[in-house]
Amino acid sequence: MPEPNAPDIRHTHDVNRKMGFVHRLWWRFVTVNGYLTEEDPEYRRLYLINVMLLFTLMVTVTFTQVHLFWTGITALMALNLIGFVATLSATVYLRVSHNLERVATFLNAIAFGGLATYLVFRQDSNQVYLWAAAYFPFAFFLKGRRVGGYFAGAFYVLVVAGATVNFTLIDPVPTTTLIRTLLNISTSLLAVCGMLYYYEATRADAIQRLSRASDELFTLSTTDALTGLYNRRYFDDVLPVMLARAQRDGELLCMLIIDADYFKAYNDYYGHPQGDQALKTIANVMTDALKRSSDLAFRLGGEEFGALYTVKEPDQAKTLAEHIRTDLERQAVPSPKSSLGKLTVSIGLRLFDGSVETSELSAWDLVSEADQALYRAKSQGRNRVVVYRPE
């Protein structure tokens, strides 16, 4: 599929104009300066990663100072300082690389390792179990329900094992108290895990259904119902994008305007149902010729079709157009008005080569010139390909 929905820079400008200063700073931080928009499936994940990065930075820098100036616990100060430096590095890396998966994995490792180490150091404090619960959102939101579930399960086992060791060996308590404490810890942590897992599972299902609905809507809005080719609306949308891409990549973009010869007479003679079958035949021939995923075929309206494709050499442009014309001839669809006695097409070809001559033209200038080439093909006897050349 081509890229008709290329990033619209105007959207970013409009968003910025509507925001206050603080809101704009926040938006730039959580979206990496508009790297993803709300319509992107990964937008939520990017937003959460940045929120978690900010949260981790604030927590680690705060507790680095607390342990440095207040508690004097050097080991915990060093742990928080390492966490702060690692999180800051991940924040900068995300803005440079835009690699969400790698940063998510790294942030998850920081949270798992840091909280696990804290769990070992502070088994003598009940606060450790409150901080332990903070890991589970990291696991599920960063790594999803399946991989995140594995990490959450491993961390849950670690917490319960740590509590068991603490209340049996380090700070022994009566058996009844031990069982009650372990049940409370296990139940609360499992409840958090269960809710997060359910949320991720239902969210993933909702995204899949929305994605399918979006794909179906896109297909309905961009596809011609009769032939299955792209429609005129999609042609209008994608043409400027493909022109810009061809100029950027130094490729030659070819535009074909194709018209069925004597089609009104064909419809009058055979009727519209048979005419529809003839249009489907033309569409099938075009689809067979335009094999690459970047090659696009359109029904522009009535018996008029279009195609957009790129080539390396100018000679290749007309070769493919001739391929479409001759393949339709070989289908031998009877046509009463044609001199050959079968359905044929006339084709106008316009080549965009990125030169000054063509780069200064609009997309619709090129369409008009391809139409002029088609008109010449008709006037020269039909059933031929004519390349546009300025007079």
Side-chain angles (χ1 to χ4, degrees), residues 67-85:
H67 294 304
L68 177 62
F69 299 111
W70 185 23
T71 67
I73 304 176
T74 306
L76 289 180
M77 182 208 67
L79 177 64
N80 279 279
L81 182 59
I82 292 171
F84 172 76
V85 173

Side-chain angles (χ1 to χ4, degrees), residues 355-369:
S355 65
V356 174
E357 172 200 350
T358 53
S359 62
E360 292 179 352
L361 298 174
S362 72
W364 318 121
D365 290 329
L366 298 176
V367 173
S368 175
E369 292 172 352

Side-chain angles (χ1 to χ4, degrees), residues 12-13 15-17 19-36 43 46-47 50 91 94-95 98:
T12 301
H13 294 329
V15 168
N16 280 321
R17 279 197 296 267
M19 294 179 180
F21 177 73
V22 176
H23 191 188
R24 189 182 305 119
L25 285 179
W26 174 252
W27 178 82
R28 287 182 176 178
F29 177 79
V30 295
T31 65
V32 189
N33 202 27
Y35 170 63
L36 294 180
Y43 173 81
L46 176 67
Y47 193 102
N50 279 298
T91 305
L94 177 60
R95 277 139 185 79
H98 297 151

Side-chain angles (χ1 to χ4, degrees), residues 143-214:
K143 300 303 294 180
R145 59 177 175 172
R146 187 173 65 85
V147 177
Y150 294 148
F151 277 104
F155 196 79
Y156 166 79
V157 171
L158 184 63
V159 172
V160 173
T164 303
V165 170
N166 178 54
F167 294 123
T168 56
L169 300 177
I170 300 173
D171 185 18
V173 296
T175 302
T176 304
T177 304
L178 172 64
I179 293 173
R180 187 170 62 248
T181 301
L182 291 178
L183 281 175
N184 286 332
I185 293 173
S186 299
T187 302
S188 59
L189 293 183
L190 285 175
V192 171
C193 284
M195 287 187 290
L196 288 169
Y197 183 89
Y198 176 76
Y199 171 76
E200 282 296 306
T202 53
R203 184 190 66 84
D205 180 63
I207 287 177
Q208 288 178 358
R209 286 188 278 110
L210 284 173
S211 179
R212 286 195 297 268
S214 178

Side-chain angles (χ1 to χ4, degrees), residues 203-225:
R203 184 190 66 84
D205 180 63
I207 287 177
Q208 288 178 358
R209 286 188 278 110
L210 284 173
S211 179
R212 286 195 297 268
S214 178
D215 290 343
E216 290 172 4
L217 181 61
F218 177 80
T219 299
L220 288 172
S221 66
T222 61
T223 305
D224 175 64

Side-chain angles (χ1 to χ4, degrees), residues 270-285:
Y270 289 108
H272 289 284
Q274 190 65 26
D276 288 346
Q277 290 302 316
L279 294 176
K280 289 181 181 179
T281 300
I282 297 172
N284 291 336
V285 167

Side-chain angles (χ1 to χ4, degrees), residues 371-389:
D371 270 329
Q372 293 176 40
L374 172 63
Y375 176 79
R376 292 173 193 167
K378 292 285 190 182
S379 64
Q380 291 173 14
R382 295 180 170 81
N383 189 30
R384 66 193 64 229
V385 178
V386 171
V387 181
Y388 173 82
R389 289 186 176 82

